[in-house]
Amino acid sequence: MPQLPADEVPIPLSAVQHAIYCLRQAALIQVERLWDENRFTAEGDVLHAVADKGGRRKARGVRRVLALPLASARLNLTGVADLVEFQPIPGQGERPFPVEYKRGKPKLHRADEAQLCAQALCLEEMTDQPVPEGALFYSQTRRRVLVPFDADLRTLTEATVAELILLFATGRTPPPTPHRSRCRACSLLDLCRPDTVSRPVRRWRDQTLTRLLEAP
């Protein structure tokens, strides 16, 4: 898997979520440095306000750390976990259990899960302890969703990091996602202009197809 040189800017953990949702969105935010707010991003800011203040406390033997800085030298990742619970393991110290706060409810795609898995990969490297699972807490349902970090999710997460490494290295913004229903919830819709960007691509595709069909 390709890796950026040590002196390159690290990849934010949040970029993993953006890249799975829409790689173009990740490029607009991380490469072109564009951002805009909408109702969904504002709700997310409110949800994270308490976690961002940081703090530590212990309850029932579990040590809870808010706003814990994370990093992975292997994957060149950096970021902050909303909450990490360090659960005591008899004779083995503590096992990290990351918890990420999300607005809304569980999604059909795996963007939230991959972001959480990226946190787990950082924690494994930082603590030298296995992190087999974590949880996503959704504001609408007010419940945690347990996320096992199985082989498929780890592969998806590391493959997404590899895509981001290539994206950062080339600096090229890819075309809009084919999952166009996601565009409606994106705060960058007006900046991205997916219909305008996609039109020349569709025209070229249609013209090419027509030439191929008309060829003797």
Side-chain angles (χ1 to χ4, degrees), residues 13-14 48 50-55 64-71 78-86 96-101 115-116 118-120 122-123 126:
L13 286 165
S14 59
H48 285 88
V50 175
D52 290 344
K53 293 179 180 179
R64 306 175 81 245
V65 182
L66 292 164
L68 179 65
L70 302 178
T78 187
V80 177
D82 288 339
L83 169 66
V84 178
E85 296 179 343
F86 291 89
F97 183 90
V99 181
E100 177 73 9
Y101 299 155
Q115 181 182 359
L116 187 67
Q119 295 180 12
C122 290
L123 285 165
M126 293 168 64

Side-chain angles (χ1 to χ4, degrees), residues 58-75:
K58 199 168 186 176
R60 298 180 181 179
V62 176
R63 186 164 58 93
R64 306 175 81 245
V65 182
L66 292 164
L68 179 65
L70 302 178
S72 167
R74 179 176 71 88
L75 297 174

